[in-house]
Structures are given as structure tokens and as C-alpha cells.
Amino acid sequence: MESDTEVGSWDAELESLLLRVGERFGRVEPRRRMRDYVRGLLGPVGRKNSWQIAEHAGNDTPYGLQRLLSWCQWDPDEIRDDLRDYVADQLGQPDGVLIVDDTGFLKKGTVSAGVQRQYSGTAGRTENCQIGVFAAYVSSKGRALVDRELYLPKSWTEDSDRCRTARIPESKSFATKPELARAMVRRALDSALPIAWVTADAAYGQERHFRRMLEEAGVGYVLAVPKSQQVKSPAGSWRIDHVLTGAPAEAWERISCGDGAKGPRVYDWAAVKLPTIEGTDPVHCRWVLARRSLARPEGIAYYLAFAPAHATVSEVVRVAGARWAIEECFVRHEAA
């Protein structure tokens, strides 16, 4: 349980952040409504709707909050930039990791922007839902979400009337999830966030354009890939699950990739550096990485990595394990 001093410190820091983003609202009333809305989302409110958040804030009706969300003139991207700068100030570290992942939001109707029946990794099945692509930043100081994009399926972007009704800007066109991820990574790299690494799951790791963008930017990555991923070297091309086939027992090293809810997350890891291809970045090396479950040795996950030449296996494993931090961000967001 947190002490009164810790709660007071947390509250003061939140007020400081709210004052920082409050400058994006032109008048006092929307600034106050924004403050009420954020505190309601973070507070002990059973259902995070306008009625209950307004009641939590001591308002008689939800109309002020609804006006803030529907009609007030403010730019969410400017607030995103303020938040990202704040995270850079508070959590920024030279070896910081940017994490990309998507999550689903289950819906019952058909009018929420981007909603349709589609696969949700959150639910583990096809559901009526929205999909958001997110970026989080993690360092030894903590973790925080820093960017987001709503995935709009073609069923939406090809229906201008539907988009207009949902107030989706006319400038929004169809973009795949990896394309949205690339846009967010570019924004992050252009920001004050100190980013040494990027990590993501196989939906993004298997995208050649995503990997190439990071290599051209000189940013290290550890990206999950499917076992069918092709790995190229001067000697030829192989499926990634064949690269380490027949590796001797001593090739596997037992390493923790970070602490989880139940303590250190320990797996057996095997890593091999790929031969350098002529004309590639001379200060980075490409790696193949495999993670084997202790409880289920047949359960092997694969990664492609692009790491500084001096990087160790333990450091590459640490970055692979950092990906779970965004899952913790999602859990805390849903709990709030």
C-alpha cells in the first residue's frame, strides 16, 4: 500500500503534467474538463463513461465532458508530443527501448471508428473490435505509452460517408499496421526520446521494410519473426528454424530476459551472428536468436536482431524481454 507521502507526490506530478498539456486548450473551461476527464479515467470509477466520470468530478451532468470530446478545438497529436517529451525528461536513458505492438478493443456496435469483425490478439480470436497500434518507451527508470494510431480497415477507408459520420478526417487513407508502426517509429526517432533499440512481435518483425528502416536509421532492433522467416547471408538463404538445427547443448545459455509478475523470466537462449554482407553497416551485426521454454523445450521462438558490434548475447536478450513492458502498459490502461 502506498503511503500518504507517495500519493501526494504522485498527485503533484500528475498536476504538473496536466498543467503542461493544459496550454493546448484555449480556454479555462476545457482545461478544467480535461483535468476532470483524466482524473476520472485514473480514479476509482466503475464504468469509464461520461456520466460516471462527471459524477466522480462533482459535476451534475456529463454535458461538459461530452463537449470536450466532441466539439472543443484541441489537437491530440500536440498533446501526444507533450507527453512524449515528458517521458523523455522523466524516463529517458541512452539505452532506452521503443516497443511496438497492437491491441484490440471489443465493441458491440458498428459506429465506432474502425470497428469491424477482425482478429484481436487481446481476445485471441476474431471479434467485433477496434485495433490500435501503440508505441511504448521503456528504460531502467520505468515505462510509458508514447504514441498510438487507430487501424482503419478498408471497409472504412473505402466508405467516405461512413468516415464522415464518424468524423474521421478526409486525409486518412488505408494503412497497414506495419505502415502505422513505421510512422510512429519515425516520429519517436525525430523526438527527444533517447532510443537505442526497437523491439516488436512477429507481425512487425517479419516486415522487411520495417527492418530496413531501422537499419538505415542506425537503430538496433530485436524483432520476433515466424519460424518460416528466411535468413539471408553470403552463403545462401535458410528458414530461421533451420539455422540452429542440430546446435549442440552448449550452444544454449540459460538467461533471464527480465523480471515478470512471478519473478525472473528465465529461458534457454541460443544466438549466432550472421556473416557480414558486403556494403552493409560496418558498426552493426545481424543476429539470429532463439528462445526455448524450460517447461516446453519444443516451444521455440525466433528473433532477428541488428545490434552494435560490441553487443553481448545478454544485452540482446534483455531487449527481447523488454517487449513485455508494453503488455503491462495495456493492463494498467485497462485497469484504469
Side-chain angles (χ1 to χ4, degrees):
M1 182 180 238
E2 294 179 325
S3 67
D4 291 343
T5 300
E6 289 172 325
V7 171
S9 175
W10 183 91
D11 189 71
E13 191 63 32
L14 177 61
E15 276 301 313
S16 173
L17 177 57
L18 293 177
L19 285 172
R20 185 171 184 163
V21 302
E23 297 178 2
R24 300 298 185 180
F25 297 85
R27 296 183 298 108
V28 172
E29 183 187 35
R31 283 199 293 271
R32 288 175 178 168
R33 299 299 187 194
M34 176 272 296
R35 178 181 176 277
D36 290 344
Y37 184 66
V38 172
R39 285 191 168 275
L41 291 176
L42 296 174
V45 179
R47 297 181 62 193
K48 310 293 184 179
N49 57 40
S50 295
W51 277 100
Q52 293 200 13
I53 291 176
E55 185 178 78
H56 179 265
N59 300 324
D60 294 330
T61 71
Y63 305 138
L65 292 180
Q66 292 170 350
R67 188 160 52 250
L68 170 74
L69 299 176
S70 299
W71 303 106
C72 285
Q73 297 297 309
W74 54 279
D75 188 337
D77 289 346
E78 291 180 345
I79 295 177
R80 174 206 60 206
D81 293 346
D82 289 338
L83 171 64
R84 192 173 53 212
D85 290 344
Y86 174 80
V87 171
D89 292 343
Q90 300 296 316
L91 305 182
Q93 291 284 84
D95 61 349
V97 180
L98 189 74
I99 312 161
V100 175
D101 199 2
D102 54 73
T103 191
F105 304 93
L106 301 183
K107 296 290 181 178
K108 293 184 178 179
T110 60
V111 297
S112 297
V115 70
Q116 72 168 21
R117 285 191 60 79
Q118 54 193 324
Y119 180 78
S120 165
T122 310
R125 59 185 180 274
T126 298
E127 288 280 1
N128 193 62
C129 64
Q130 294 170 303
I131 299 292
V133 183
F134 291 83
Y137 182 80
V138 62
S139 73
S140 59
K141 292 185 175 181
R143 60 185 63 84
L145 294 170
V146 294
D147 205 347
R148 80 289 171 259
E149 287 286 353
L150 177 65
Y151 171 67
L152 292 173
K154 288 183 178 180
S155 63
W156 277 82
T157 57
E158 294 176 353
D159 188 337
S160 58
D161 291 338
R162 193 181 189 191
C163 286
R164 192 178 304 111
T165 301
R167 298 184 185 178
I168 295 171
E170 293 183 4
S171 59
K172 288 289 185 181
S173 57
F174 176 74
T176 65
K177 299 182 189 76
E179 286 171 340
L180 296 176
R182 292 205 299 272
M184 287 193 295
V185 170
R186 290 191 192 99
R187 286 197 292 262
L189 294 178
D190 289 339
S191 76
L193 283 173
I195 298 168
W197 301 89
V198 173
T199 187
D201 69 15
Y204 304 94
Q206 66 183 336
E207 286 286 328
R208 178 174 55 86
H209 297 298
F210 188 69
R211 300 195 305 272
R212 177 171 291 182
M213 177 194 68
L214 295 172
E215 292 180 10
E216 291 176 349
V219 177
Y221 63 68
V222 183
L223 302 170
V225 293
K227 65 181 182 180
S228 59
Q229 179 71 41
Q230 291 293 310
V231 177
K232 295 181 180 180
S233 78
S237 178
W238 297 271
R239 278 174 52 125
I240 195 169
D241 60 342
H242 294 169
V243 173
L244 293 168
T245 298
E250 57 267 25
W252 295 89
E253 186 176 359
R254 195 154 293 182
I255 306 173
S256 169
C257 60
D259 290 338
K262 298 180 181 179
R265 298 193 305 271
V266 179
Y267 297 89
D268 286 334
W269 298 84
V272 60
K273 287 185 180 180
L274 297 174
T276 302
I277 298 175
E278 185 177 352
T280 56
D281 185 341
V283 298
H284 286 82
C285 297
R286 291 190 178 90
W287 295 58
V288 167
L289 188 68
R291 186 195 74 208
R292 187 173 67 190
S293 169
L294 303 187
R296 296 184 304 105
E298 73 281 3
I300 300 178
Y302 297 94
Y303 302 81
L304 288 176
F306 179 71
H310 58 75
T312 64
V313 174
S314 293
E315 186 174 8
V316 175
V317 166
R318 174 187 67 83
V319 177
R323 186 162 61 86
W324 281 276
I326 197 169
E327 299 290 344
E328 296 171 358
C329 289
F330 291 153
V331 169
R332 292 184 180 186
H333 169 77
E334 290 169 3

